[in-house]
Amino acid sequence: MNAQDTSTGRYAQFADIRKEVSELGGQYIELPTHVIVHIPGKDRLVATFDNRAALNSNDQRRPWGDKLILEQGWGCLGVMAIEQNWYRCPDLYPTLETLVANTLVPAYSGFSLYGNSMGGFGALTFSRLFPDPITVTFNPQTSLMHDVVPFERRFEPGRGLGDWTGPYVDGAEGAACAAKNYVFYDPMVVEDKLHALRLVGANSVMFPCPWLTHPFMPVLASMQLLKPSAVSALEGTLTRKTFFDDFRRRRFSDRYMQELLTAAVSRGHSRLARAALKKRLLQRQSNQRDLLEGIVAAGGHL
């Protein structure tokens, strides 16, 4: 890459992470549509993959979810996207294969992969690069191949940004190679449910979380569930009982109530929405009461 690309061009947003990785003795690699970084740590390596939202930031870029990973003292392999092409970059595959096999596998004793939506696809499909990996994904796409996922119509531009006949095209194939897959998804989002069903298997632990919508990680975070659940899953210790016992607190999350009431009203269930809000406010008051009442009131005018 020339100096213009690195300092002021498409790689300018990676200047800080490039400097940090260099100082820590890690790896920094620029590819035509991706940047790969390895931030060294101990014991476990967690590979993370950008979702589409990461590309909308004007700030300096960092690996998706790296704060949580580095807080555990683990190493982080960040695969950061410059285009929303679902990791369909021919240069990416041999680069990752060589880096993982020659540098990363000898340096760590455990391996996990972590991603949301498009990043979930990356985590699933590249899990086959690691020995006995754990994948942790939130509302992942398993592929964008027409013949494999004909139900997926949300991301048509992604289908045209790469070759979907090459390697690493199906996250379900990668998941089959994993020691364990933790799959979090909203079964009320039809496409997300259908992708999740492709991942059901003996090595998969499924976490259907209704009414959290597609980008539901912020809703999970509002319940103080995201961090502890993600860490336990990345370690391979999270159980369905532990998660769903804690998931009961969702009824006290204003963000969850907002999504639930919006869904009810949009489906013509204004009376049920009104009853649910009344019950919730009797149990616990809300700082967002006006917003929640406004959602229910709007249903009466539909």
Side-chain angles (χ1 to χ4, degrees), residues 117-189:
S117 192
M118 182 180 83
F121 166 73
L124 292 167
T125 199
F126 291 112
S127 64
R128 68 196 78 183
L129 297 178
F130 298 87
D132 299 319
I134 297 167
T135 73
V136 181
T137 59
F138 296 83
N139 279 333
Q141 288 89 62
T142 52
S143 181
L144 291 188
M145 288 190 294
H146 278 289
D147 57 338
V148 173
V149 290
F151 56 83
E152 182 58 85
R153 290 290 183 267
R154 296 172 295 178
F155 310 113
E156 289 298 331
R159 284 191 164 113
L161 290 176
D163 179 7
W164 285 92
T165 64
Y168 305 108
V169 293
D170 192 348
E173 293 178 357
C177 301
K180 186 178 288 187
N181 303 296
Y182 289 95
V183 185
F184 298 81
Y185 66 100
D186 185 342
M188 308 311 295
V189 180

